[in-house]
Amino acid sequence: MSLPFERLRRAPDVEGEGLGAVDAADRLILDESAAVRTGARAGEIAVVGDAYGALALGAAHDGASAVRVHQDAVLGERALLSNAVTLGLAEQISSGPLDAALVAGARVVLMRLPRSLDALRDVAGLIAAHARSDVTVVAGGRIKHMSVAMNDVLRAFFTTVDVTHARQKSRALIARGPHDGRDPVPAAARVDDVEVRAFGGVFAGARLDIGTRALLSALDAAPRSPGGGTAEDPWIDLACGTGIVGAWLARRHPSAHVYASDQSAAAVASATATVAANALSDRVRVARADGLEERAAASASFIALNPPFHSGAALTTTIAERLFADAARVLAPGGQLWCVWNSPLRYRATLERVVGPTHQVSRDPKFTVTVSTKR
């Protein structure tokens, strides 16, 4: 009996907006890997990039045990656990970070191809370094999100890379013969006196994107420092990415404390490395969290936010609106949300409604910076 895919559910995850809990690429990866999975023993199957658990639970349903899984999104990780409990498969899977332990001794690795070539390079190098010498990697995705360059990245770490026939607008790459493996190393750069570190797949990489530059310029020109900034009321860098905003704030204000959070494991690893590179670990805490779920209501004086405006390849306002609502919950009356956003998205009315009175600090055809005061 095949896995009852119809019973899988997505988490309330805006990163997966518009996607079901399973798609044709998941089914193709499971079908193409069926033969090699048959001989795998406990702990010999690893899964990377499983959106809501279809790959890991498909393998577990077919008899695999001790399946190790890494998902970048924290809500995807929670959806996997929820779906595993629903299907009675929770004992067969475990979630963990993208590190050597994830793939050590793996004979089969199932993977959804990331859109970032740097992210693929990080994963492929890790597998080649730590999996078995006879490992088979079955990596798939939707054809519209794949490129020939992905084959080249895999060939840098595997002797053979075979391409399957297309099926339902999906395709899989099958890699064997690992060589020249390496652990992921973040890209490094110095930006505006801040050392930035970025693992593959993190927004903007080790550079300052123009939206964040607009936000930092506005903060730099502000007539006074934000309220808070203490250990009890730290400034908040929401959806922190590489942590460049939080690190910039902490460097500009040597006594300030900062809390930085992101739902992405790669972002949190990058921000943690950025904080360490700037010797700020005593004043900047980085957390992997769904928004500000760790922070109490009405507890913050200042939040900085450069919200994502894409869900996959699609333009969306859902992510930003969800973060606005979370910021409004956490801000104390009179607290401020400093936000930069794509000018065509016209968020000001939403910020007025959700947070409070909002005034424009700067604007150009691409980006607008606003300050919203919690009513």
Side-chain angles (χ1 to χ4, degrees):
M1 183 189 302
S2 62
L3 179 73
F5 289 113
E6 70 280 357
R7 296 182 63 190
L8 300 186
R9 295 290 180 267
R10 295 189 295 115
D13 179 9
V14 290
E15 291 297 327
E17 183 183 17
L19 298 176
V22 58
D23 65 13
D26 294 319
R27 296 174 189 269
L28 179 61
I29 292 168
L30 288 171
D31 288 347
E32 291 290 342
S33 66
V36 289
R37 284 189 287 113
T38 299
R41 295 175 293 194
E44 291 187 342
I45 294 180
V47 180
V48 181
D50 199 359
Y52 302 107
L55 299 179
L57 296 176
H61 183 271
D62 289 343
S65 60
V67 179
R68 292 164 285 173
V69 190
H70 172 73
Q71 294 156 286
D72 186 63
V74 70
L75 287 178
E77 192 173 288
R78 293 173 187 174
L80 167 62
L81 177 59
S82 176
N83 285 326
V85 170
T86 297
L87 297 173
L89 297 171
E91 296 299 317
Q92 281 103 297
I93 62 166
S94 63
S95 293
L98 185 66
D99 60 13
L102 176 75
V103 296
R107 177 176 294 192
V108 181
V109 177
L110 310 181
M111 178 169 58
R112 284 300 298 256
L113 286 162
R115 303 206 182 164
S116 160
L117 295 179
D118 287 337
L120 179 58
R121 194 171 290 111
D122 280 355
V123 176
L126 188 73
I127 296 169
H130 299 287
R132 290 170 55 114
S133 60
D134 60 349
V135 67
T136 298
V137 180
V138 183
R142 305 293 279 169
I143 291 173
K144 64 182 178 180
H145 300 143
M146 296 173 66
S147 69
V148 174
M150 291 177 172
N151 304 35
D152 297 333
V153 170
L154 288 174
R155 289 192 182 101
F157 298 102
F158 295 91
T159 302
T160 63
V161 178
D162 297 317
V163 183
T164 71
H165 293 296
R167 191 179 83 186
Q168 293 181 290
K169 300 180 180 179
S170 301
R171 196 184 297 276
L173 308 178
I174 301 176
R176 297 182 178 89
H179 60 82
D180 297 322
R182 59 169 178 77
D183 290 343
V185 176
R190 188 169 182 84
V191 180
D192 288 1
D193 296 325
V194 174
E195 291 289 338
V196 182
R197 302 292 183 266
F199 287 95
V202 176
F203 173 69
R207 63 181 181 84
L208 183 63
D209 67 282
I210 55 176
T212 299
R213 183 175 292 281
L215 176 61
L216 296 183
S217 295
L219 286 167
D220 199 32
R224 63 182 65 87
S225 299
T230 65
E232 297 75 24
D233 178 14
W235 294 337
I236 294 176
D237 179 7
L238 176 56
C240 67
T242 61
I244 190 170
V245 172
W248 183 90
L249 287 167
R251 284 184 62 85
R252 290 298 177 96
H253 303 274
S255 64
H257 289 257
V258 177
Y259 171 87
S261 72
D262 204 294
Q263 61 83 37
S264 160
V268 168
S270 300
T272 300
T274 293
V275 168
N278 291 279
L280 297 171
S281 299
D282 58 331
R283 293 190 291 117
V284 181
R285 184 166 82 85
V286 182
R288 184 179 181 221
D290 176 19
L292 297 176
E293 61 182 344
E294 295 185 345
R295 310 305 299 183
S299 65
S301 298
F302 170 84
I303 298 173
L305 172 62
N306 181 0
F309 57 93
H310 281 95
S311 176
L315 190 69
T316 180
T317 62
T318 305
I319 304 171
E321 290 168 0
R322 193 162 176 259
L323 293 173
F324 295 163
D326 212 13
R329 177 187 65 81
V330 171
L331 282 171
Q336 293 185 330
L337 170 64
W338 284 65
C339 186
V340 60
W341 37 275
N342 282 52
S343 296
L345 294 176
R346 302 182 182 278
Y347 282 141
R348 185 167 176 174
T350 302
L351 288 164
E352 290 264 6
R353 172 175 53 82
V354 174
V355 181
T358 299
H359 72 271
Q360 179 177 295
V361 177
S362 65
R363 181 183 178 87
D364 63 33
K366 290 188 175 180
F367 289 97
T368 298
V369 178
T370 53
V371 178
S372 303
T373 303
K374 178 65 183 296
R375 61 171 63 89

